[in-house]
Amino acid sequence: MEQSIIDMLLVIDAETILAAYPPGTADNPTSIDQPLIFMLVRTDAVVFGQASKELKIKAQTEDVLRWRQNTASSNSTYSGLLYKFLCLKGDNLISPPNPILATVQTPLPNPANPTVPGIQTIQNYFWESTVLAAGSLTYAFYFMIVDRHNNVKGYYYWDPFITITA
């Protein structure tokens, strides 16, 4: 079996989090214990937990895990930014995750010709790790919520788990 890239999309309900939780600080973020963060992965990689705050995935040794985040407003009103990964249990199951910054081209609607998209070049990022062994991984992801003027509105974290099945 060849190596796979498993993209996990984290959707953060930023507006509800800001309304329901104190803002925390970068060094002392507020824990999110309600289901306000949703993890999604392609169908063939999920065992259970699709669109929940916990996820069990099918991954094999040497598969690459990538975490990307968005907000329910698609980063238009508020953006979420992952800034720290902390392994709580199972740190030997994956390599230390690192943020990766990439320059990518994405399509852009073309009002003059709707069936032929334009293109824009943007900076994008994700966190990446390599699977080293099967087992259960519990971790904390720290994130901030930023408004459209780049003002940090709060610092938060949640501690999901991922079960890696060989």
Side-chain angles (χ1 to χ4, degrees):
M1 184 104 192
E2 66 183 63
Q3 179 186 46
S4 276
I5 295 175
I6 300 172
D7 284 305
M8 290 174 278
L9 176 62
L10 316 174
V11 179
I12 299 166
D13 184 348
E15 290 184 18
T16 303
I17 290 171
L18 290 173
Y21 288 91
T25 65
D27 293 328
N28 190 21
T30 300
S31 173
I32 305 298
D33 57 1
Q34 296 179 36
L36 299 172
I37 298 157
F38 311 96
M39 298 177 69
L40 302 164
V41 68
R42 70 178 189 263
T43 304
D44 67 336
V46 69
V47 175
F48 78 84
Q50 184 79 294
S52 73
K53 69 177 195 165
E54 311 292 354
L55 188 61
K56 184 174 184 179
I57 62 171
K58 292 181 223 172
Q60 296 186 36
T61 301
E62 297 185 7
D63 282 353
V64 174
L65 304 177
R66 289 184 178 163
W67 292 266
R68 301 171 191 273
Q69 101 299 315
N70 205 332
T71 60
S73 67
S74 196
N75 292 338
S76 64
T77 305
Y78 295 106
S79 295
L81 185 67
L82 303 170
Y83 69 92
K84 181 178 177 182
F85 182 100
L86 179 64
C87 193
L88 304 173
K89 177 186 166 204
D91 61 345
N92 59 329
L93 302 178
I94 63 172
S95 65
N98 290 301
I100 308 288
L101 185 63
T103 301
V104 298
Q105 293 186 327
T106 63
L108 190 63
N110 180 355
N113 190 350
T115 62
V116 179
I119 197 161
Q120 62 181 338
T121 301
I122 63 169
Q123 293 289 308
N124 197 348
Y125 86 102
F126 52 88
W127 285 68
E128 184 174 273
S129 177
T130 301
V131 175
L132 303 175
S136 293
L137 171 73
T138 303
Y139 60 96
F141 239 132
Y142 293 59
F143 65 97
M144 66 184 85
I145 296 176
V146 182
D147 70 14
R148 66 178 74 185
H149 305 291
N150 206 35
N151 298 309
V152 176
K153 304 309 280 183
Y155 296 89
Y156 306 92
Y157 77 95
W158 90 109
D159 57 350
F161 70 85
I162 295 178
T163 301
I164 302 166
T165 60

